[in-house]
């Protein structure tokens, strides 16, 4: 590595602390296979107990946002199983492995000190087969594993929630020492569990922390009905929160629960009837995290005073409350005097909330139709968005032009929607405020008025997935013309055919070809017959 002034520095001249930082940034499979036996110094680093104790046997290749391959090259796997695993087997505490290499990795050596196991990208039928027939895996789960993470594929068709519920129950019956379980929780997955009568007899007397995605609110209540008598942490995503004919008790106190996180993206009408009673059961809660979109028919927005009165007085030990809440008010709610943004801010002045941001939108008669058609599945009179700062969630939905700026360095998925156009300079603010953004959706059919094409190039350094299905053709020009926007990682595009033809000039425009030629996945709204130039324009499809 040539520095300057004819000075030369070898990488081995760097101190071990710096080399360890470099190694941890690299793929572990590549490091083990490439650096073993290169020099004695590298061997000391690669086989350092603090490095190899967490053995990550995953090599991920991304074709598109939802199409990722985790398998290891056979030659590389052969070398690691033959030359490396016999040297480190007794130092491995945590193991991450995928479906194709798991059997060889587990069968090559024993791991006497292994306590944490992560299974990545397993089809549900393959996982079920391993859990029922692989004796080595079953022995590990029964005798050693205290921390288990399961990632189930959601392609090409989503696994039936009932099957996943059965697998979940089987895991609990096998793992006699299990303390922490994360089930179907990778960020880009959508797999869900549901617990039918055939699987509701599962229980655990050792589990203290559970992270899971479920289908219904009843599934959430199943998990809190006493079957986990030591559970202190529950991180749960619920697809549907609605009134059901279920008979599960939602009144029994939960004194052991200390940390609770609830995420649900669809709009819900039953916040007061279902969510509040659930939270009031958590009398010793210390940390509460909520990500909700609430529809109210006969009440104002949820404000800080209401949250304090309805929730916090039931949780005297609560010291961390993090939230992202949309409150949508029914269009028929004509008699209520709505709070202002200043009122909302003042209501969150208590120390329990910490810093809070809020935005209020009032929808006039003229634009209610647009909100119904393009941004929300229901016609509202008004909407309020309130969230804790610093923002802790990976997703942020329904951002509009009222957004000023800030650093949202956890957000990977963003949906923008408004009935006023998003101008060029606004996207510059977005790119700087969301530095690790991977997935962006724009819902706005208003043409831009001030494109300001002389402004500096806008860069989205990590954007992989761009959804312009609900956007005016101007936004296709905004993002696909390389002199306006640089998208070095873009692989996926969803767009209307007319917008795509217009911005690419029927697949001949050089200004958009640079970005389009890198796409590996294209979802086009509407039927079409591709012209001859189409496949030349998208060579990787």
């Amino acid at each position: 590595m040539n520095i300057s002034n004819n000075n030369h520095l070898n990488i081995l001249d760097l101190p071990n602390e710096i080399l360890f930082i470099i190694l941890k940034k690299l793929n572990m499979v590549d490091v083990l296979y490439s650096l073993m036996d290169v020099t004695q110094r590298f061997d000391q680093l690669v086989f350092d107990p603090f490095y190899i104790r967490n053995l990550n046997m995953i090599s991920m290749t991304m074709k598109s946002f939802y199409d990722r391959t985790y398998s290891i090259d056979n030659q590389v796997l052969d070398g690691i199983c033959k030359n490396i695993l016999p040297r480190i087997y007794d130092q491995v505490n945590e193991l991450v492995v995928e479906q194709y290499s798991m059997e060889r990795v587990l069968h090559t050596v024993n791991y006497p000190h292994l306590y944490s196991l992560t299974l990545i990208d397993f089809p549900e039928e393959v996982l079920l087969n391993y859990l029922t027939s692989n004796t080595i895996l079953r022995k590990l789960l029964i005798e050693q594993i205290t921390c288990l993470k399961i990632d189930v594929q959601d392609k090409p068709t989503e696994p039936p929630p009932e099957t996943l519920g059965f697998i979940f129950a089987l895991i609990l019956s096998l793992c006699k020492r299990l303390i922490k379980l994360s089930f179907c929780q990778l960020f880009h997955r959508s797999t869900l569990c549901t617990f039918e009568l055939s699987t509701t007899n599962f229980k655990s007397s050792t589990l203290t922390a559970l992270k899971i995605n479920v289908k219904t609110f009843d599934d959430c209540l199943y998990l809190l009905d006493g079957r986990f008598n030591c559970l202190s942490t529950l991180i749960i995503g619920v697809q549907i929160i609605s009134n059901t004919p279920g008979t599960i008790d939602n009144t029994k106190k939960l004194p052991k629960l200390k940390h609770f996180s609830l995420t649900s993206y669809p709009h819900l009408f039953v916040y007061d009837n279902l969510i509040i009673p659930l939270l009031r059961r958590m009398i010793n809660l210390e940390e509460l995290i909520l990500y909700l979109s609430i529809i109210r028919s006969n009440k104002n927005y949820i404000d800080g005073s209401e949250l304090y009165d309805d929730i916090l007085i039931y949780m005297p030990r609560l010291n961390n409350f993090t939230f992202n809440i949309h409150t949508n008010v029914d269009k028929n709610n004509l008699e209520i005097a709505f709070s202002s943004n200043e009122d909302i801010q003042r209501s969150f002045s208590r120390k329990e909330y910490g810093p809070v941001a809020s935005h209020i939108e009032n929808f006039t008669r003229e634009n209610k139709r647009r909100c119904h058609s393009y941004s929300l599945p229901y016609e509202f009179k008004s909407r309020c968005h309130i969230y804790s700062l610093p923002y802790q969630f990976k997703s942020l939905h329904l951002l509009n032009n009222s957004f000023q700026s800030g650093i949202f360095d956890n957000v990977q998925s963003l949906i923008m929607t408004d009935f006023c156009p998003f101008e060029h300079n606004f996207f510059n603010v977005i790119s700087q405020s969301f530095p690790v953004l991977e997935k962006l959706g724009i819902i706005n059919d208003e043409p831009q008025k001030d494109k300001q094409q002389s402004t500096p190039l806008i860069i989205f350094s990590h954007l992989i997935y761009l959804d312009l299905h609900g956007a005016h053709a101007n936004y296709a020009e905004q993002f696909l013309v390389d002199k306006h926007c640089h998208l070095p990682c873009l692989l996926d595009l969803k767009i209307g055919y007319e917008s795509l033809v217009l911005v690419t000039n029927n697949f001949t425009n050089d200004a958009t070809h640079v970005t389009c030629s890198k796409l590996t996945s294209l979802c086009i709204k509407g039927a079409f017959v591709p012209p001859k130039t189409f496949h030349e324009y998208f060579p990787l499809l």
Side-chain angles (χ1 to χ4, degrees):
M1 181 167 53
N2 196 332
I3 304 300
S4 62
N5 298 325
N6 296 320
N7 290 326
H8 295 274
L9 178 66
N10 189 291
I11 190 171
L12 289 176
D13 293 330
L14 296 173
N16 281 355
E17 292 80 6
I18 301 299
L19 290 175
F20 271 126
I21 292 174
I22 295 173
L23 290 183
K24 289 181 180 179
K25 298 287 186 181
L26 302 175
N27 180 271
M28 194 171 194
V29 169
D30 295 335
V31 170
L32 291 174
Y33 184 73
S34 303
L35 297 185
M36 183 192 68
D37 294 334
V38 172
T39 69
Q40 185 177 2
R41 176 88 179 283
F42 273 139
D43 274 4
Q44 290 175 345
L45 293 169
V46 170
F47 293 110
D48 186 282
F50 289 101
Y51 182 67
I52 61 172
R53 65 178 299 273
N54 186 353
L55 181 60
N56 190 337
M57 293 290 291
I58 297 295
S59 184
M60 192 270 285
T61 302
M62 180 184 295
K63 182 178 179 181
S64 66
F65 189 82
Y66 292 106
D67 188 359
R68 309 182 187 202
T69 302
Y70 294 85
S71 60
I72 304 174
D73 178 81
N74 282 331
Q75 182 178 346
V76 174
L77 181 61
D78 287 341
I80 291 177
C81 289
K82 180 180 178 180
N83 302 314
I84 296 176
L85 294 185
R87 297 171 61 176
I88 66 173
Y89 70 96
D90 58 343
Q91 300 178 68
V92 176
N93 301 140
E94 305 176 37
L95 175 63
V96 182
V97 68
E98 44 81 31
Q99 57 167 317
Y100 299 108
S101 62
M102 188 187 78
E103 189 162 358
R104 288 199 59 189
V105 171
L106 292 185
H107 286 239
T108 297
V109 293
N110 295 320
Y111 300 90
H113 301 296
L114 182 69
Y115 67 83
S116 176
L117 180 63
T118 301
L119 306 180
I120 296 288
D121 199 43
F122 275 70
E124 48 92 16
E125 68 277 4
V126 173
L127 178 61
L128 183 59
N129 181 59
Y130 274 122
L131 292 172
T132 55
S133 63
N134 188 291
T135 55
I136 292 181
L137 175 61
R138 287 171 61 90
K139 188 175 188 298
L140 276 173
L141 294 176
I142 293 171
E143 298 179 0
Q144 292 182 218
I145 299 302
T146 60
C147 301
L148 180 63
K149 296 180 182 179
I150 302 288
D151 165 51
V152 179
Q153 282 186 3
D154 56 358
K155 58 182 183 180
T157 58
E158 185 177 332
E162 296 82 3
T163 303
L164 292 175
F166 177 78
I167 292 173
F168 179 78
L170 179 58
I171 287 171
L172 291 173
S173 68
L174 283 174
C175 300
K176 306 301 183 183
R177 299 164 56 89
L178 194 62
I179 296 174
K180 297 180 179 180
L181 173 60
S182 178
F183 195 69
C184 305
Q185 276 287 340
L186 274 196
F187 177 60
H188 63 284
R189 303 295 196 194
S190 59
T191 45
L192 303 166
C193 270
T194 191
F195 306 113
E196 302 296 326
L197 293 177
S198 59
T199 60
T200 55
N201 57 357
F202 59 82
K203 62 181 181 179
S204 173
S205 60
T206 60
L207 195 69
T208 63
L210 174 61
K211 190 175 183 181
I212 190 170
N213 292 331
V214 298
K215 187 174 182 180
T216 70
F217 190 70
D218 273 359
D219 294 319
C220 176
L221 296 183
Y222 275 134
L223 299 173
L224 293 170
D225 69 354
R227 65 186 68 243
F228 303 125
N229 54 18
C230 290
L231 192 68
S232 62
T233 298
L234 177 60
I235 302 171
I236 189 166
V238 183
Q239 184 187 47
I240 303 169
I241 300 181
S242 61
N243 285 316
T244 68
T247 58
I248 309 166
D249 185 15
N250 194 19
T251 61
K252 186 178 179 181
K253 301 302 181 186
L254 300 166
K256 295 287 185 68
L257 203 62
K258 302 293 182 63
H259 308 274
F260 180 66
S261 172
L262 172 62
T263 299
S264 186
Y265 296 116
H267 302 301
L268 59 101
F269 290 86
V270 291
Y271 171 80
D272 299 280
N273 296 335
L274 293 183
I275 305 300
I276 290 297
L278 174 62
L279 297 177
R280 287 177 175 177
R281 298 166 58 190
M282 304 174 187
I283 55 177
N284 290 318
L285 205 66
E286 297 174 2
E287 180 182 41
L288 175 61
I289 301 174
L290 297 177
Y291 190 116
L292 300 172
S293 182
I294 300 162
I295 297 173
R296 311 195 102 179
S297 297
N298 55 3
K299 291 186 178 181
N300 204 327
Y301 313 121
I302 291 176
D303 62 21
S305 299
E306 180 179 357
L307 281 170
Y308 189 85
D309 294 338
D310 284 348
I311 301 175
L312 297 181
I313 60 175
Y314 294 90
M315 305 172 186
R317 299 177 184 271
L318 193 70
N319 55 43
N320 186 2
F321 184 20
T322 303
F323 52 89
N324 179 56
I325 296 176
H326 282 95
T327 311
N328 308 281
V329 180
D330 192 304
K331 66 171 184 175
N332 298 317
N333 211 343
L334 302 177
E335 73 282 359
I336 292 177
F338 297 115
S339 303
S340 67
N341 200 54
E342 292 73 21
D343 293 335
I344 293 292
Q345 289 286 343
R346 281 193 295 270
S347 73
F348 281 91
S349 61
R350 294 182 176 90
K351 63 180 179 61
E352 289 87 356
Y353 299 115
V356 171
S358 66
H359 309 286
I360 287 178
E361 298 173 83
N362 293 302
F363 302 128
T364 65
R365 277 185 175 274
E366 180 183 354
N367 58 48
K368 277 181 185 175
R369 182 194 63 80
R370 291 175 182 164
C371 291
H372 171 74
S373 300
Y374 296 108
S375 66
L376 296 169
Y378 194 81
E379 292 187 8
F380 301 111
K381 183 173 184 180
S382 187
R383 177 173 69 199
C384 180
H385 185 195
I386 317 164
Y387 50 88
S388 305
L389 294 175
Y391 193 83
Q392 299 296 316
F393 301 94
K394 292 184 178 180
S395 298
L396 198 158
H397 291 174
L398 308 183
L399 180 144
N400 61 24
N401 278 293
S402 65
F403 179 79
Q404 299 297 314
S405 64
I407 299 299
F408 293 74
D409 52 10
N410 289 310
V411 174
Q412 299 176 21
S413 177
L414 174 66
I415 296 176
M416 301 171 59
T417 178
D418 207 330
F419 51 83
C420 297
F422 296 125
E423 303 296 354
H424 181 87
N425 284 337
F426 187 64
F427 286 110
N428 194 36
V429 173
I430 297 300
S431 68
Q432 296 176 30
S433 298
F434 300 90
V436 298
L437 193 65
E438 295 182 359
K439 185 177 181 181
L440 174 62
I442 298 173
I443 305 170
N444 194 321
D445 70 341
E446 290 295 320
Q448 291 176 309
K449 298 177 180 177
D450 184 14
K451 298 181 184 180
Q452 295 191 30
Q453 296 181 9
S454 62
T455 58
L457 180 70
I458 297 174
I459 301 174
F460 287 88
S461 301
H462 297 85
L463 192 68
I464 302 169
Y465 187 103
L466 179 62
D467 185 351
L468 300 176
H469 258 186
H472 189 275
N474 279 173
Y475 301 103
E477 181 181 0
Q478 170 78 62
F479 280 90
L480 299 183
V481 173
D482 61 341
K483 71 176 183 179
H484 300 164
C485 198
H486 182 49
L487 310 173
C489 295
L490 188 70
L491 299 176
D492 299 69
L493 176 65
K494 292 182 69 175
I495 192 171
Y497 183 65
E498 292 182 0
S499 294
L500 186 61
V501 169
L502 182 64
V503 73
T504 62
N505 193 20
N506 203 24
F507 313 109
T508 61
N509 187 356
D510 290 340
T512 53
H513 185 241
V514 172
T515 299
C516 290
S517 65
K518 298 182 295 185
L519 295 176
T520 59
S521 176
L522 179 63
C523 179
I524 298 178
K525 184 179 180 181
F528 71 99
V529 177
K532 292 181 180 180
T533 53
F534 180 85
H535 294 292
E536 297 175 1
Y537 210 77
F538 301 99
L540 300 182
L541 296 182

